[in-house]
Amino acid sequence: KHELWVAMIERQRGPLWLLLGALFSTLLLPLLYLTPAVSQPVRAINHICIEVAICWIAWRVADVLTTRARLLEWLEARPGLRGILPLIRQLIGIGLTAIAAAIALSEMGLSLTSVMASLGLGGLAVALAAKNTLEHFFGSVTLSIDQSIRVGDQVRNGDLDGIVEQIGMRSTRLRTPDPSGA
């Protein structure tokens, strides 16, 4: 447990410097006697920096936890869950990035409702354009969860025989015996 806390604290240097700098700047802002026209954008930038730092801290904590979770004995007994850890890590990163972006856009005065509606329509267009990629993605997630094949398994597909080296999003890499016999 001590090593986990040390690892988390070591990963927080960058986000903490950003957070402390933004907080310090917020405290100094009244002493600068800025006009309201200048003060308002500076406050908005400070708030954005604070919110980004908090999301960055949360991302670093999630990164450390998902990296350390791979080493758990409980997870070793469940290879299907172990295979899904990188996906969980990426989804947490995407979610935190989306939250930070939404907060930043809101702080800049944009209406989140219109931004979300635009992203929804844009997301639908991208999803339709990337249909095959999404199919491959969900297929790789299914392979990771079901563990129908695993890295190191001996497989045969038609006349191709080999050992699974890597399972990716679009392909599975097999090591086949050298046909020359060398």
Side-chain angles (χ1 to χ4, degrees), residues 55-68:
C55 287
W56 193 6
I57 288 169
W59 162 245
R60 292 278 177 100
V61 167
D63 186 40
V64 169
L65 290 177
T66 55
T67 302
R68 296 295 172 122

Side-chain angles (χ1 to χ4, degrees), residues 1-2 24 31 34 49 52 58 62 64 67-68 71 73 97 100 130 144 150 154 160 163 171:
K1 289 183 180 180
H2 177 70
F24 185 69
L31 300 174
L34 299 175
C49 288
V52 166
V64 169
T67 302
R68 296 295 172 122
L71 306 174
E73 290 179 26
T97 302
S144 295
R150 298 180 188 162
Q154 181 80 27
L160 183 65
I163 297 173
S171 64

Side-chain angles (χ1 to χ4, degrees), residues 7-61:
M8 277 194 222
I9 291 170
E10 286 177 357
R11 295 281 311 215
Q12 301 304 332
R13 286 191 181 128
L16 285 177
W17 277 114
L18 178 63
L19 181 64
L20 290 174
L23 289 173
F24 185 69
S25 175
T26 302
L27 291 173
L28 288 181
L29 194 59
L31 300 174
L32 296 177
Y33 299 110
L34 299 175
T35 63
V38 175
S39 177
Q40 198 272 337
V42 172
R43 279 196 183 105
I45 291 170
N46 281 340
H47 290 149
I48 290 171
C49 288
I50 290 169
E51 292 151 357
V52 166
I54 291 170
C55 287
W56 193 6
I57 288 169
W59 162 245
R60 292 278 177 100
V61 167

Side-chain angles (χ1 to χ4, degrees), residues 43 48 84 99 101 107-108 110 113 127-128 169:
R43 279 196 183 105
I48 290 171
I84 202 87
I99 289 169
E107 198 65 46
M108 287 189 280
L110 294 174
T113 306
L128 290 173
M169 188 171 93

